[in-house]
Short mmCIF file of all heavy atoms in Angstrom, two decimals:
data_model
loop_
_atom_site.label_atom_id
_atom_site.label_comp_id
_atom_site.label_asym_id
_atom_site.label_seq_id
_atom_site.Cartn_x
_atom_site.Cartn_y
_atom_site.Cartn_z
N ASP A 188 -38.93 46.78 45.16
CA ASP A 188 -39.41 47.21 43.85
C ASP A 188 -38.24 47.54 42.91
O ASP A 188 -38.22 47.11 41.76
CB ASP A 188 -40.32 48.42 43.98
CG ASP A 188 -41.65 48.08 44.63
OD1 ASP A 188 -42.30 47.13 44.18
OD2 ASP A 188 -42.02 48.76 45.61
N GLN A 189 -37.27 48.29 43.41
CA GLN A 189 -36.20 48.79 42.54
C GLN A 189 -35.30 47.68 41.99
O GLN A 189 -34.80 47.80 40.87
CB GLN A 189 -35.37 49.82 43.30
CG GLN A 189 -36.14 51.09 43.65
CD GLN A 189 -35.33 52.02 44.52
OE1 GLN A 189 -34.15 51.78 44.79
NE2 GLN A 189 -35.96 53.11 44.97
N ALA A 190 -35.08 46.63 42.75
CA ALA A 190 -34.21 45.54 42.29
C ALA A 190 -34.99 44.43 41.60
O ALA A 190 -34.39 43.44 41.17
CB ALA A 190 -33.42 44.97 43.47
N GLY A 191 -36.30 44.59 41.50
CA GLY A 191 -37.07 43.63 40.71
C GLY A 191 -37.60 42.43 41.46
O GLY A 191 -38.03 41.46 40.83
N PHE A 192 -37.67 42.47 42.78
CA PHE A 192 -38.19 41.33 43.53
C PHE A 192 -39.71 41.21 43.40
O PHE A 192 -40.25 40.10 43.42
CB PHE A 192 -37.83 41.47 45.02
CG PHE A 192 -36.39 41.22 45.34
CD1 PHE A 192 -35.49 42.28 45.41
CD2 PHE A 192 -35.92 39.93 45.56
CE1 PHE A 192 -34.15 42.06 45.72
CE2 PHE A 192 -34.58 39.71 45.87
CZ PHE A 192 -33.69 40.77 45.94
N GLU A 193 -40.38 42.34 43.31
CA GLU A 193 -41.85 42.32 43.31
C GLU A 193 -42.40 41.60 42.09
O GLU A 193 -42.00 41.85 40.96
CB GLU A 193 -42.38 43.76 43.34
CG GLU A 193 -43.87 43.84 43.71
CD GLU A 193 -44.80 43.50 42.55
OE1 GLU A 193 -44.42 43.78 41.38
OE2 GLU A 193 -45.90 42.98 42.80
N HIS A 194 -43.33 40.68 42.33
CA HIS A 194 -43.91 39.90 41.22
C HIS A 194 -45.34 39.54 41.60
O HIS A 194 -45.58 38.59 42.35
CB HIS A 194 -43.08 38.63 40.99
CG HIS A 194 -43.45 37.89 39.74
ND1 HIS A 194 -43.28 38.40 38.48
CD2 HIS A 194 -43.98 36.65 39.59
CE1 HIS A 194 -43.68 37.51 37.58
NE2 HIS A 194 -44.12 36.44 38.23
N TYR A 195 -46.29 40.36 41.12
CA TYR A 195 -47.71 40.15 41.42
C TYR A 195 -47.95 40.03 42.92
O TYR A 195 -48.68 39.15 43.39
CB TYR A 195 -48.24 38.92 40.69
CG TYR A 195 -48.13 39.04 39.18
CD1 TYR A 195 -47.14 38.35 38.48
CD2 TYR A 195 -49.01 39.85 38.46
CE1 TYR A 195 -47.03 38.47 37.12
CE2 TYR A 195 -48.90 39.97 37.09
CZ TYR A 195 -47.90 39.28 36.42
OH TYR A 195 -47.79 39.40 35.05
N GLY A 196 -47.32 40.94 43.67
CA GLY A 196 -47.53 40.99 45.11
C GLY A 196 -46.72 40.00 45.91
O GLY A 196 -46.81 39.97 47.14
N ARG A 197 -45.90 39.20 45.24
CA ARG A 197 -45.06 38.23 45.93
C ARG A 197 -43.59 38.55 45.65
O ARG A 197 -43.27 39.46 44.88
CB ARG A 197 -45.40 36.80 45.47
CG ARG A 197 -46.79 36.37 45.93
CD ARG A 197 -47.24 35.07 45.30
NE ARG A 197 -46.43 33.93 45.71
CZ ARG A 197 -46.59 33.27 46.85
NH1 ARG A 197 -47.52 33.66 47.73
NH2 ARG A 197 -45.85 32.22 47.13
N MET A 198 -42.70 37.81 46.26
CA MET A 198 -41.27 37.99 46.03
C MET A 198 -40.76 36.92 45.07
O MET A 198 -40.97 35.73 45.28
CB MET A 198 -40.50 37.87 47.36
CG MET A 198 -38.99 37.97 47.20
SD MET A 198 -38.10 37.82 48.78
CE MET A 198 -38.30 36.05 49.12
N ASN A 199 -40.11 37.36 44.01
CA ASN A 199 -39.56 36.45 43.01
C ASN A 199 -38.04 36.64 42.98
O ASN A 199 -37.54 37.65 42.48
CB ASN A 199 -40.19 36.74 41.64
CG ASN A 199 -39.79 35.73 40.58
OD1 ASN A 199 -38.64 35.30 40.52
ND2 ASN A 199 -40.73 35.37 39.73
N LEU A 200 -37.31 35.67 43.51
CA LEU A 200 -35.86 35.79 43.60
C LEU A 200 -35.19 35.78 42.23
O LEU A 200 -34.27 36.55 41.97
CB LEU A 200 -35.30 34.67 44.47
CG LEU A 200 -35.69 34.73 45.96
CD1 LEU A 200 -35.35 33.44 46.66
CD2 LEU A 200 -35.01 35.91 46.64
N LEU A 201 -35.65 34.91 41.34
CA LEU A 201 -35.04 34.84 40.01
C LEU A 201 -35.25 36.15 39.26
O LEU A 201 -34.33 36.63 38.57
CB LEU A 201 -35.61 33.66 39.22
CG LEU A 201 -34.98 33.43 37.85
CD1 LEU A 201 -33.51 33.07 37.98
CD2 LEU A 201 -35.72 32.36 37.07
N LYS A 202 -36.43 36.72 39.38
CA LYS A 202 -36.72 37.98 38.67
C LYS A 202 -35.74 39.07 39.10
O LYS A 202 -35.25 39.85 38.26
CB LYS A 202 -38.15 38.40 38.95
CG LYS A 202 -38.57 39.71 38.29
CD LYS A 202 -40.06 39.92 38.44
CE LYS A 202 -40.49 41.29 37.90
NZ LYS A 202 -40.28 42.37 38.86
N ALA A 203 -35.43 39.14 40.38
CA ALA A 203 -34.48 40.15 40.85
C ALA A 203 -33.09 39.90 40.27
O ALA A 203 -32.41 40.84 39.83
CB ALA A 203 -34.41 40.13 42.38
N GLY A 204 -32.67 38.65 40.24
CA GLY A 204 -31.36 38.33 39.66
C GLY A 204 -31.30 38.67 38.18
O GLY A 204 -30.29 39.21 37.69
N LEU A 205 -32.38 38.39 37.45
CA LEU A 205 -32.42 38.70 36.02
C LEU A 205 -32.40 40.21 35.80
O LEU A 205 -31.90 40.69 34.78
CB LEU A 205 -33.68 38.10 35.39
CG LEU A 205 -33.78 36.57 35.38
CD1 LEU A 205 -35.12 36.14 34.81
CD2 LEU A 205 -32.64 35.95 34.59
N THR A 206 -32.96 40.95 36.73
CA THR A 206 -32.99 42.41 36.61
C THR A 206 -31.61 43.01 36.86
O THR A 206 -31.19 43.95 36.17
CB THR A 206 -34.00 43.00 37.61
OG1 THR A 206 -35.30 42.46 37.35
CG2 THR A 206 -34.06 44.52 37.51
N MET A 207 -30.87 42.49 37.83
CA MET A 207 -29.67 43.14 38.31
C MET A 207 -28.36 42.57 37.76
O MET A 207 -27.32 43.23 37.85
CB MET A 207 -29.63 43.06 39.85
CG MET A 207 -30.80 43.75 40.54
SD MET A 207 -30.92 45.52 40.14
CE MET A 207 -29.41 46.13 40.90
N ALA A 208 -28.34 41.38 37.21
CA ALA A 208 -27.09 40.78 36.73
C ALA A 208 -26.52 41.56 35.56
O ALA A 208 -27.26 42.12 34.73
CB ALA A 208 -27.32 39.32 36.33
N ASP A 209 -25.19 41.59 35.47
CA ASP A 209 -24.54 42.27 34.35
C ASP A 209 -24.69 41.49 33.05
O ASP A 209 -24.69 42.08 31.97
CB ASP A 209 -23.06 42.49 34.66
CG ASP A 209 -22.87 43.44 35.83
OD1 ASP A 209 -23.35 44.58 35.75
OD2 ASP A 209 -22.23 43.05 36.83
N ALA A 210 -24.78 40.18 33.15
CA ALA A 210 -24.96 39.35 31.96
C ALA A 210 -25.77 38.13 32.35
O ALA A 210 -25.74 37.68 33.49
CB ALA A 210 -23.61 38.94 31.37
N LEU A 211 -26.50 37.60 31.37
CA LEU A 211 -27.37 36.46 31.59
C LEU A 211 -27.03 35.36 30.59
O LEU A 211 -26.66 35.64 29.45
CB LEU A 211 -28.84 36.85 31.40
CG LEU A 211 -29.36 38.05 32.21
CD1 LEU A 211 -30.76 38.41 31.76
CD2 LEU A 211 -29.32 37.74 33.70
N SER A 212 -27.19 34.14 31.04
CA SER A 212 -27.02 33.02 30.11
C SER A 212 -28.06 31.97 30.40
O SER A 212 -28.64 31.92 31.49
CB SER A 212 -25.62 32.40 30.24
OG SER A 212 -25.51 31.63 31.42
N THR A 213 -28.31 31.15 29.42
CA THR A 213 -29.08 29.94 29.62
C THR A 213 -28.40 28.83 28.82
O THR A 213 -27.38 29.06 28.18
CB THR A 213 -30.56 30.12 29.25
OG1 THR A 213 -31.29 28.97 29.69
CG2 THR A 213 -30.74 30.32 27.75
N VAL A 214 -28.96 27.62 28.88
CA VAL A 214 -28.16 26.45 28.56
C VAL A 214 -28.31 25.92 27.13
O VAL A 214 -27.86 24.82 26.83
CB VAL A 214 -28.45 25.33 29.57
CG1 VAL A 214 -27.89 25.71 30.93
CG2 VAL A 214 -29.96 25.07 29.69
N SER A 215 -28.93 26.70 26.26
CA SER A 215 -28.90 26.37 24.83
C SER A 215 -29.38 27.59 24.05
O SER A 215 -30.17 28.39 24.55
CB SER A 215 -29.80 25.16 24.50
OG SER A 215 -31.17 25.49 24.60
N PRO A 216 -28.92 27.76 22.82
CA PRO A 216 -29.35 28.90 22.02
C PRO A 216 -30.85 28.94 21.76
O PRO A 216 -31.47 30.01 21.83
CB PRO A 216 -28.55 28.73 20.72
CG PRO A 216 -27.33 27.95 21.12
CD PRO A 216 -27.82 27.00 22.17
#
Side-chain angles (χ1 to χ4, degrees):
D188 290 309
Q189 294 174 6
F192 287 94
E193 195 282 328
H194 190 65
Y195 299 105
R197 292 170 66 81
M198 177 180 72
N199 187 320
L200 293 168
L201 184 64
K202 179 171 175 278
L205 295 176
T206 301
M207 299 301 294
D209 294 302
L211 307 172
S212 74
T213 190
V214 290
S215 71

